[in-house]
Amino acid sequence: MSQRFHSLRGFEDILPGASERWQQLEQRIRELMRCFAFREIRPPLVEATGLFTRSVGEGTDIVGKEMFTFTAGDESYTLRPEITASVCRALIEHGLDRAAQLRLYYVGPAFRKERPQKGRLRQFHQVGVELFGETAPGADVETIALAWELVRAAKVRQPRLTINSLGGETSRTAHRSALGEFLRARLDRLDPDSRERVDRNPLRVLDSKIESTKLATADAPSILEFLDSEERDHFAAVQAGLDQLQIPYEVDARLVRGLDYYVRTTFEIAADTGGSQNAVLGGGRYDNLLHDLGGPALAGVGFAAGIERILLASEPDPEAAPPLELFVVTLGESASRAALSLVHRLRQAGLGVLWDPAGRGLSAQLKRASRAGARFAAIVGDDELAAGQLKLKQLQTGTEEQIPLEISAVVSRLTQGKE
Ligand code: HAM
């Protein structure tokens, strides 16, 4: 027996029935991006490994253990675990920064070698935006507002927005050292994973889901107490902007993002995905990243949402299925021959049309027509051909009528009542 292959764990097929929901969501997203004046960029899926080590950060879980990396010749390649780094690389490479303000969005797959579970895949899809060249807090506000509109457009159930400020380099270093000291004094109360993180990445300890660690760190020093006055003003202005737009949010000084490039504002949107992976969207400001990657000293702010998680957290929309207007049922050889061009020309006229090229029996064809979800069946036999007519049957109601066997007549009958 020949070997049967299966998709790999964490890599999913998106089948018809589901793919229409994806298309519908993507369409809504593209419309939203147009309203917010973002333009699409499509970077490649594979980049030099160094791009991610430099941007996402050596000490992060993503770079430390989740990247799909392979070598060919002397080069090390990585399947992108996120897309911000690629967008920055492209901006620098193509000198896109000549525009005063640059607003880019993307939709596509990313790859992380995580343990697969509900809402956590090894190949998942992100839709994201990156806004460059603007340090004013208004840019953070409009980015968060777009994130909020996106989850609303996707009809995500009860989204919850959390924001934080991570400050800048000076305030972060001071906080990091105070936090390190605090954690080292409580090492015995931390879980083993967190203990290991105390020196490498102490902020991540605050993100632990382990109850005992949460308890032990409940009164850990907050980053918000370490912000300088400019950072504090920036964060206050972001909150004032969200208040003005009546976008509900919570400030959480423990909101930690799993990527190293953030400064100042960070945010996440959580929703019930039916599993433990509740973050449907995350983002923030990264004012030093372009410069760190050898590019211009240009600020950036953006976010990415996980499309699988957005779909898990929202209701399926019955409108998503594509319409099949007509199934052409043929009786006899001449009808079958005539149907070949009839079907083709109706498709050229923009109708969704299916037929049975093998010309099975009448009831078999009608069964196929309703199984395919067609609104109408057009029955063409020798009598109809001779009379230049066809029998149009509305499949839901069973109503039948005769109409001329002409493309224009069929098109106008089937598009009746539609725009
Ligand atoms: P991130 O928080 O790592 O941020 O990922 C963004 C979103 O991608 C998450 O909120 C989640 O919905 C989805 N996601 C991440 N990993 C998985 C997975 N294994 N399976 C399913 N979904 C997943 C970033 O990637 C940043 N680049 C966002 C950003 C853009 N910051 C600034 N600009």
Side-chain angles (χ1 to χ4, degrees):
M1 227 178 66
S2 62
Q3 186 190 355
R4 284 181 59 180
F5 293 101
H6 298 273
S7 62
L8 301 167
R9 233 164 79 79
F11 292 80
E12 285 186 346
D13 296 309
I14 301 161
L15 301 174
S19 59
E20 289 85 11
R21 276 191 83 197
W22 283 70
Q23 288 174 1
Q24 188 189 46
L25 178 60
E26 283 169 21
Q27 217 168 356
R28 288 183 183 158
I29 286 168
R30 288 181 198 285
E31 181 52 23
L32 204 55
M33 294 301 169
R34 189 185 64 76
C35 297
F36 279 75
F38 281 83
R39 296 178 67 188
E40 190 181 14
I41 179 167
R42 301 187 186 198
L45 305 190
V46 178
E47 300 274 1
T49 302
L51 174 64
F52 303 113
T53 7
R54 282 274 294 284
S55 54
V56 176
E58 208 103 44
T60 61
D61 283 352
I62 296 179
V63 169
K65 51 186 185 198
E66 293 171 1
M67 297 208 299
F68 286 99
T69 294
F70 56 98
T71 47
D74 294 336
E75 285 281 350
S76 176
Y77 299 89
T78 290
L79 293 182
R80 64 185 189 192
E82 61 108 55
I83 307 175
T84 309
S86 303
V87 174
C88 291
R89 196 258 317 127
L91 181 152
I92 297 168
E93 182 170 338
H94 304 289
L96 300 178
D97 56 301
R98 280 187 292 270
Q101 204 193 62
L102 190 61
R103 307 160 73 94
L104 299 170
Y105 82 93
Y106 46 83
V107 185
F111 305 84
R112 294 184 193 174
K113 209 189 299 159
E114 297 190 80
R115 197 168 47 77
Q117 54 175 265
K118 187 160 193 173
R120 190 159 79 187
L121 293 152
R122 293 186 156 188
Q123 174 177 333
F124 57 99
H125 295 74
Q126 285 191 339
V127 45
V129 307
E130 312 297 349
L131 190 164
F132 297 100
E134 197 57 76
T135 51
D140 310 40
V141 176
E142 66 165 312
T143 305
I144 299 173
L146 170 54
W148 192 248
E149 287 305 309
L150 194 153
V151 296
R152 271 168 38 117
K155 301 195 168 69
V156 167
R157 293 176 295 252
Q158 300 181 337
R160 299 179 298 278
L161 168 67
T162 309
I163 63 171
N164 190 19
S165 174
L166 298 180
E169 193 145 342
T170 315
S171 43
R172 250 221 319 248
T173 312
H175 174 244
R176 198 185 152 113
S177 106
L179 183 62
E181 201 172 308
F182 174 91
L183 294 174
R184 275 191 293 278
R186 288 162 182 76
L187 269 189
D188 52 335
R189 294 173 58 196
L190 304 181
D191 63 278
D193 270 353
S194 296
R195 229 175 284 156
E196 205 194 299
R197 285 190 171 128
V198 168
D199 291 318
R200 201 164 37 92
N201 200 345
L203 265 185
R204 292 292 291 180
V205 177
L206 300 184
D207 203 25
S208 170
K209 305 279 176 290
I210 313 263
E211 224 28 69
S212 56
T213 302
K214 276 195 196 165
L215 217 64
T217 59
D219 53 353
S222 156
I223 177 69
L224 296 178
E225 289 156 23
F226 288 80
L227 301 184
D228 67 24
S229 67
E230 241 183 77
E231 291 158 3
R232 253 200 311 273
D233 289 350
H234 185 100
F235 193 41
V238 171
Q239 293 175 60
L242 294 175
D243 292 339
Q244 188 185 328
L245 297 180
Q246 295 182 324
I247 296 173
Y249 63 91
E250 228 177 83
V251 175
D252 179 1
R254 297 170 72 97
L255 172 67
V256 176
R257 306 268 303 122
L259 306 98
D260 277 355
Y261 48 63
Y262 294 114
V263 294
R264 300 199 173 194
T265 317
T266 55
F267 55 95
E268 262 181 24
I269 298 179
D272 183 9
T273 57
S276 60
Q277 303 300 310
N278 285 339
V280 299
L281 179 151
R285 190 167 262 294
Y286 48 90
D287 292 347
N288 307 324
L289 180 56
L290 277 171
H291 190 252
D292 290 348
L293 290 173
L298 210 58
V301 53
F303 69 77
I307 298 186
E308 285 83 356
R309 290 190 194 171
I310 295 253
L311 290 174
L312 282 173
S314 56
E315 299 298 339
D317 190 329
E319 298 279 285
L324 179 69
E325 274 99 7
L326 186 67
F327 193 105
V328 175
V329 174
T330 60
L331 305 171
E333 247 174 64
S334 352
S336 197
R337 242 191 327 275
L340 179 66
S341 37
L342 177 66
V343 167
H344 187 64
R345 290 175 60 197
L346 288 171
R347 287 172 175 166
Q348 286 178 322
L351 293 181
V353 185
L354 205 55
W355 71 311
D356 174 17
R360 289 171 178 78
L362 174 64
S363 66
Q365 290 193 51
L366 283 172
K367 207 181 274 173
R368 281 181 177 229
S370 43
R371 220 184 272 156
R375 278 173 60 222
F376 289 92
I379 300 160
V380 190
D382 288 341
D383 293 350
E384 282 79 11
L385 279 182
Q389 296 270 309
L390 58 75
K391 199 194 288 171
L392 197 64
K393 179 172 177 168
Q394 197 157 359
L395 287 168
Q396 283 234 313
T397 58
T399 326
E400 290 184 0
E401 62 192 287
Q402 298 277 341
I403 62 167
L405 210 173
E406 283 161 17
I407 301 301
S408 56
V410 180
V411 171
S412 87
R413 173 65 189 86
L414 292 197
T415 49
Q416 245 171 43
K418 285 194 191 172
E419 283 166 298

